[in-house]
Amino acid sequence: MEIKRIKILIPLLIFAGSLCSAQFNTLMPVQPKKENQEYKKIIETQNEENESIVKKSKKPWIKIFNSPRKSDLKNEIDSLKILIKDLSAKSGEKKSGYQKMKDSLLALSMDRLKDREMIQSKKNSSLTKYDLVEEPEGEIASKIVMPVKNKITITSSYGTRTHPIFGTRKMHNGIDLKASYENVYSVMDGIVTAAGWDPKGGGNYIKVRHFNRFETSYLHLSEMYYRPGERVSAGYVIGRSGNSGNSTGPHLHFSVKEFGQNINPAHFLNDLIKVNNLIATYNEK
């Protein structure tokens, strides 16, 4: 009996499965077809609405691209013109302010110049005026000065003598003047021809040429103030006396050459004094 029931149930089950599969197969493709149709209807309605909007508008590209209208452009141009006028007015104010500042500075400088001129005129009015000094005509018209300020005192004369250090008889081509670390002056106008260290025992020295005729030398200096090629005038401090080189104490060795030949410096200084006195007498007359 059970076998017979099974044989009867198997075809029933197969039939039922076929019904289910047939129902599933018929229902599945139906719903997508409905959805596609509804989607197509929605798209078609939207297209119709867009076409109607475009047909109603005279210039549809204005709304599509948001292009400005003529009235909007005119308003913008007017506003730009107003802005340009304001900027030009401000720049004009800046220029006028700059010009005012420039004018005020110019006026201030002119006032200061006038004040200086007034002060200078007052100073000039308070000063005493002098006549020009008439210099005598002649070969030697410049001022004449002694090599040292104090009284000329010769400690060692010109000529052959016994050397105070070596003890030998030797020609002394100048004169030694008493001068203890004091200023040394150029006796006349001239040009410095040499300055430096004398390896023969003269120590620090300076030589000055005068009128292409005389050359004066100043030895045993402690300081030198001029170099070769520099011009000096009578009375210029050219150095300071000292004790450099072969020397037993501070003094000034003073020597003179005329046309390259040694002469007695004492005679030279005496001639300078005589010329100076003659010039002074001439000026008094």
Side-chain angles (χ1 to χ4, degrees), residues 42-54:
I42 292 168
I43 292 173
E44 288 176 356
T45 53
Q46 288 180 355
N47 290 332
E48 289 176 357
E49 290 177 358
N50 290 332
E51 288 177 358
S52 63
I53 292 169
V54 171

Side-chain angles (χ1 to χ4, degrees), residues 2-52:
E2 291 179 0
I3 294 169
K4 288 180 178 180
R5 287 178 182 176
I6 294 169
K7 288 180 179 180
I8 294 167
L9 289 171
I10 288 171
L12 290 173
L13 291 170
I14 294 168
F15 179 74
S18 64
L19 288 173
C20 292
S21 62
Q23 187 178 1
F24 180 77
N25 292 331
T26 54
L27 290 174
M28 285 298 291
V30 172
Q31 194 169 358
K33 287 181 180 179
K34 290 181 179 180
E35 289 179 357
N36 289 332
Q37 290 175 358
E38 291 177 358
Y39 180 72
K40 287 181 180 179
K41 288 180 180 180
I42 292 168
I43 292 173
E44 288 176 356
T45 53
Q46 288 180 355
N47 290 332
E48 289 176 357
E49 290 177 358
N50 290 332
E51 288 177 358
S52 63

Side-chain angles (χ1 to χ4, degrees), residues 184-196:
V184 175
Y185 303 91
S186 174
V187 294
M188 292 187 297
D189 298 346
I191 298 173
V192 178
T193 56

Side-chain angles (χ1 to χ4, degrees), residues 49-274:
E49 290 177 358
N50 290 332
E51 288 177 358
S52 63
I53 292 169
V54 171
K55 288 179 181 179
K56 288 179 182 179
S57 177
K58 292 181 180 179
K59 295 180 179 179
W61 57 84
I62 294 176
K63 291 185 178 179
I64 294 169
F65 297 103
N66 293 324
S67 299
R69 293 176 295 179
K70 286 184 179 180
S71 60
D72 296 334
L73 288 173
K74 186 177 181 182
N75 293 332
E76 288 182 3
I77 291 170
D78 293 337
S79 63
L80 287 173
K81 286 181 179 179
I82 294 169
L83 181 61
I84 290 169
K85 287 181 181 179
D86 293 338
L87 290 175
S88 62
K90 289 181 180 179
S91 63
E93 291 177 358
K94 288 183 180 178
K95 287 181 180 179
S96 62
Y98 175 74
Q99 187 64 33
K100 288 179 182 178
M101 182 176 67
K102 187 177 179 181
D103 294 339
S104 62
L105 289 174
L106 182 62
L108 181 62
S109 61
M110 291 297 292
D111 292 338
R112 288 185 177 179
L113 183 62
K114 289 179 181 179
D115 293 339
R116 287 181 182 177
E117 288 177 354
M118 290 178 65
I119 293 169
Q120 189 66 31
S121 63
K122 288 181 180 179
K123 286 183 178 180
N124 292 336
S125 62
S126 62
L127 294 174
T128 304
K129 294 182 178 180
Y130 296 95
D131 294 331
L132 294 176
V133 177
E134 295 181 1
E135 296 183 0
E137 296 179 358
E139 184 179 356
I140 301 177
S142 63
K143 186 179 179 182
I144 297 169
V145 179
M146 293 295 103
V148 291
K149 189 175 181 179
N150 297 325
K151 182 181 178 180
I152 299 296
T153 302
I154 299 175
T155 57
S156 182
S157 60
Y158 175 82
T160 304
R161 65 165 188 174
T162 302
H163 196 277
I165 295 177
F166 302 109
T168 57
R169 297 287 295 178
K170 190 177 179 181
M171 175 65 182
H172 189 220
N173 62 359
I175 57 175
D176 292 341
L177 303 177
K178 184 179 180 181
S180 179
Y181 298 99
E182 57 189 77
N183 291 335
V184 175
Y185 303 91
S186 174
V187 294
M188 292 187 297
D189 298 346
I191 298 173
V192 178
T193 56
W197 178 264
D198 180 19
K200 296 180 180 180
N204 296 320
Y205 74 97
I206 288 181
K207 293 182 179 181
V208 183
R209 185 176 67 248
H210 313 276
F211 310 109
N212 292 324
R213 178 173 180 173
F214 299 101
E215 183 182 66
T216 56
S217 300
Y218 312 80
L219 282 68
H220 303 296
L221 302 175
S222 60
E223 296 177 5
M224 298 175 294
Y225 302 142
Y226 286 88
R227 293 176 296 182
E230 293 182 326
R231 185 175 295 276
V232 296
S233 297
Y236 274 29
V237 179
I238 58 176
R240 192 173 182 84
S241 63
N243 191 30
S244 60
N246 296 333
S247 173
T248 57
H251 69 284
L252 174 65
H253 174 92
F254 179 71
S255 60
V256 182
K257 286 184 178 181
E258 184 177 12
F259 297 121
Q261 299 294 325
N262 288 317
I263 61 173
N264 191 334
H267 297 166
F268 172 78
L269 292 178
N270 286 329
D271 290 339
L272 287 183
I273 292 170
K274 291 177 182 178

